[in-house]
Amino acid sequence: MQIGSRRAVLNPASGTGDHAEYVTRLLEARGFAVDETADAGDARRLGREAGERRVSELAVCGGDGTVNEVLRGLSDADAVGDVTLGIVPCGTANILARELGIRDVRHGVDIADSGPVREVDLGYAGADPFAVSCIAGFPADASLAASAELKERFGTLAFLISGVQEAVDFDGIEIDLDATVADGTERWHGEATCVLVGNARKFIEEGGQAAMEDGLFDVAVVDRMPAGNLVAEAIGHRVLGRETPGVTHLQARELTISGPEPITFSRDGELATHETLRLRNEPRTLSVRVGPAYEPAP
């Protein structure tokens, strides 16, 4: 890699797995040198190498998990603030790309080449960055249960299908949550179905883009409920956006989640277990190219 060069990290296995040749051709025509991942950890390694070698433009071609791995690599090299990211959505859900106003692969390449640059918030769960969300509880378990075969057959519905399966056995989690909010602190203690912490994602309100430049997480805590209600409630929030009793919604700059038992968290799809986890929002830390539909203050 040359200093100041344009590079791309391409995950050929993301999504349907049929995009590598097409995306490579488009990016190389725009001056990007493309590095493909082959094994677990490659995206993080390539992100770290890009940061160490002072690459100024880095396109990430894959899903939200691939973007997260590259961000972790840039963080390893202490270079998150030195690189401008372009997102080419090749994954299953592509939540970050959608929030940035990027429609599809071709549009993502065009935006990575010459789209306007915005500085957006980045979340940290302990030392690890996340761009989209950090989830604890039932959805994290459902994410774990969604196999590659289910994703290939059903796309984003894979998480709903696995969620139905997981709901039968899920018992909830006991948590203590301390959050720093606008007027001080807020605490929540009890048994929860899940805790949803969104940076580039809104979980409760109907429709609309998440605010990625306000320095705040969008947080929802869902009370523990009978297993038979779990999927219906999840659909009500994620698809219909209606208000439902038993949900605490707040906006926080940082928060700490702990429990008497280790808790599994899904950070942009990457799973980790912690007894205590501190999450903080780093305002306008990440430079990204955005599409014309992106609104800084939606």
Side-chain angles (χ1 to χ4, degrees):
M1 294 184 187
Q2 299 298 316
I3 291 177
S5 62
R6 285 184 140 191
R7 306 292 300 193
V9 176
L10 168 64
N11 182 349
S14 289
T16 57
D18 59 359
H19 55 274
E21 183 178 347
Y22 175 61
V23 173
T24 298
R25 186 171 68 250
L26 292 177
L27 286 167
E28 288 181 344
R30 290 160 175 79
F32 288 88
V34 180
D35 297 304
E36 287 193 18
T37 63
D39 298 308
D42 280 357
R44 183 171 185 172
R45 173 181 57 81
L46 291 168
R48 182 178 66 251
E49 291 176 359
E52 290 170 346
R53 299 174 187 182
R54 296 168 54 194
V55 169
S56 58
E57 300 263 353
L58 186 62
V60 184
C61 316
D64 296 312
T66 303
V67 175
N68 182 267
E69 285 193 54
V70 170
L71 286 172
R72 289 164 68 193
L74 290 171
S75 181
D76 292 341
D78 195 24
V80 169
D82 301 330
V83 178
T84 297
L85 284 189
I87 309 299
V88 181
C90 302
T92 301
N94 303 310
I95 296 170
L96 179 60
R98 186 168 66 246
E99 296 296 342
L100 295 175
I102 299 169
R103 298 189 301 270
D104 51 35
V105 168
R106 183 62 183 257
H107 191 226
V109 172
D110 289 341
I111 295 301
D113 178 40
S114 58
V117 177
R118 300 290 304 188
E119 292 183 352
V120 301
D121 304 340
L122 189 63
Y124 277 85
D128 293 316
F130 64 94
V132 178
S133 62
C134 186
I135 297 172
F138 166 57
D141 285 1
S143 176
L144 178 62
S147 67
E149 180 182 357
L150 273 179
K151 291 180 183 179
E152 183 177 352
R153 290 178 60 195
F154 298 107
T156 55
L157 288 177
F159 298 104
L160 179 57
I161 293 167
S162 60
V164 173
Q165 298 166 344
E166 288 293 298
V168 175
D169 299 319
F170 187 74
D171 292 327
I173 53 173
E174 184 177 347
I175 65 163
D176 282 293
L177 184 149
D178 290 283
T180 302
V181 297
D183 55 354
T185 60
E186 187 165 337
R187 188 179 187 197
W188 194 99
H189 170 76
E191 291 191 357
T193 294
C194 56
V195 183
L196 311 168
V197 181
N199 180 53
R201 191 170 183 183
K202 292 172 71 177
F203 291 101
I204 299 300
E205 297 168 12
E206 182 176 3
Q209 172 189 300
M212 291 188 66
E213 300 183 21
D214 62 354
L216 297 170
F217 291 130
D218 195 73
V219 182
V221 184
V222 182
D223 292 354
R224 185 178 183 274
M225 60 186 68
N229 294 337
L230 287 176
V231 175
E233 295 292 347
I235 292 172
H237 285 296
R238 295 181 62 185
V239 180
L240 303 179
R242 67 171 183 261
E243 291 296 329
T244 303
V247 176
T248 300
H249 182 217
L250 54 93
Q251 292 185 308
R253 296 192 300 273
E254 61 180 64
L255 60 155
T256 300
I257 301 171
S258 61
E261 301 291 336
I263 299 169
T264 298
F265 293 84
S266 174
R267 187 193 63 255
D268 289 355
E270 299 295 319
L271 295 168
T273 300
H274 303 270
E275 292 183 356
T276 299
L277 183 63
R278 176 176 174 255
L279 299 100
R280 69 186 190 280
N281 188 295
E282 295 290 344
R284 302 192 181 186
T285 296
L286 181 65
S287 295
V288 293
R289 293 194 181 274
V290 301
Y294 174 77
E295 292 287 345

